Amino acid sequence: MRILAISDEPDRSLTVDRLREINPGLVISCGDLDMGYLDYVASAANASLVLVPGNHDPELKRVKTSAAARLWFDHDWGTPVRSEEGSAEIGAINADGRIVTINGLTIAGLGGSIRYREGPNQYTERQMAHRARRLRWQVQMRRRRIDLLIAHSPPAGVGDDTDGPHRGFAAFVPLVEALQPRLMLHGHIHPHGFVKPDRQLGETTVVNVIPHKVLEVGP
């Protein structure tokens, strides 16, 4: 499975020709991207889209997006999202706090960042620890291995920054160690022109996908 993972920064190099050349089986967004851009990438790539929200995204509860996208987003997605007119269908699933299986991959998601001001998709460490426990419980109930864990923020001490808004979540460390996904994908930590190397957390490779990464995930 070829995955195109995107986050935080629209990438001008992802032209229609380039997206068709990549030919991903799945597009994953780790947050903080305009809904119109997500619509463009998924449509041009002709691929399903799985996302979690970032701290700059609106709360995904019946929030109407820009006229360019004309999508309805709902935190309880379990099926593809239809356009406002209901005439077109985009394979988009909000994986925040959920487990979804698509194209043979089992994906768990936790969106949002550490709380540093008022706004949606921001959590204290205690709140995120509660969300992480709920997600782990879902995994245990399903008795299935998680292939990918997608998040907006990284685990604390594993590719995060030291300033308040860009600290990772401590709760992600035991979660990753318990679930042992093959990959954890995140955004939120902008490269600013520097390469952000992949990190290891136990058996899991932690990947900062800003602005985009092409990944191959085998069976």
Side-chain angles (χ1 to χ4, degrees):
M1 164 76 72
R2 178 172 293 169
I3 294 172
L4 172 62
I6 56 179
S7 193
D8 289 79
E9 300 174 5
D11 191 341
R12 292 181 180 273
S13 73
L14 292 179
T15 62
V16 172
D17 287 344
R18 175 58 180 152
L19 289 166
R20 291 175 178 169
E21 178 186 344
I22 294 171
N23 190 29
L26 182 65
V27 175
I28 291 177
S29 171
C30 291
D32 282 355
L33 287 170
D34 178 79
M35 301 306 183
Y37 178 73
L38 295 179
D39 183 28
Y40 156 73
V41 172
S43 298
N46 193 28
S48 298
L49 169 67
V50 176
L51 63 80
V52 292
N55 54 295
H56 294 298
D57 287 322
E59 190 173 5
L60 301 186
K61 294 181 181 178
R62 304 301 291 177
V63 176
K64 193 175 180 181
T65 67
S66 66
R70 296 206 301 267
L71 302 178
W72 287 94
F73 281 73
D74 190 304
H75 72 301
D76 288 326
W77 289 348
T79 57
V81 176
R82 292 185 181 276
S83 69
E84 186 176 349
E85 296 82 7
S87 59
E89 190 174 81
I90 294 176
I93 298 175
N94 179 5
D96 188 22
R98 302 177 56 220
I99 301 165
V100 299
T101 300
I102 185 167
N103 295 350
L105 292 179
T106 301
I107 303 169
L110 284 172
S113 76
I114 197 78
R115 178 168 290 280
Y116 63 94
R117 58 172 173 79
E118 290 300 318
N121 308 316
Q122 296 184 45
Y123 303 93
T124 64
E125 281 282 6
R126 183 174 181 178
Q127 289 171 329
M128 186 56 79
H130 175 68
R131 301 182 78 225
R133 286 193 297 270
R134 287 181 59 187
L135 188 65
R136 184 175 175 179
W137 177 80
Q138 292 181 57
V139 173
Q140 292 170 342
M141 291 295 291
R142 290 187 178 219
R143 298 181 181 179
R144 292 195 64 176
R145 176 168 183 184
I146 299 300
D147 296 301
L148 302 175
L149 176 62
I150 63 174
H152 182 61
S153 298
V158 186
D160 59 347
D161 279 340
T162 56
D163 63 301
H166 294 99
R167 288 183 291 118
F169 283 108
F172 285 174
V173 176
L175 179 66
V176 170
E177 291 173 344
L179 301 186
Q180 298 184 35
R182 284 183 272 180
L183 295 172
M184 178 181 180
L185 311 181
H186 72 87
H188 194 52
I189 310 302
H190 293 258
H192 298 301
F194 296 93
V195 175
K196 293 290 185 181
D198 297 345
R199 313 278 180 142
Q200 284 297 130
L201 185 52
E203 298 297 316
T204 300
T205 302
V206 180
V207 183
N208 184 332
V209 303
I210 301 174
H212 86 268
K213 287 286 180 72
V214 178
L215 307 160
E216 301 282 351
V217 180

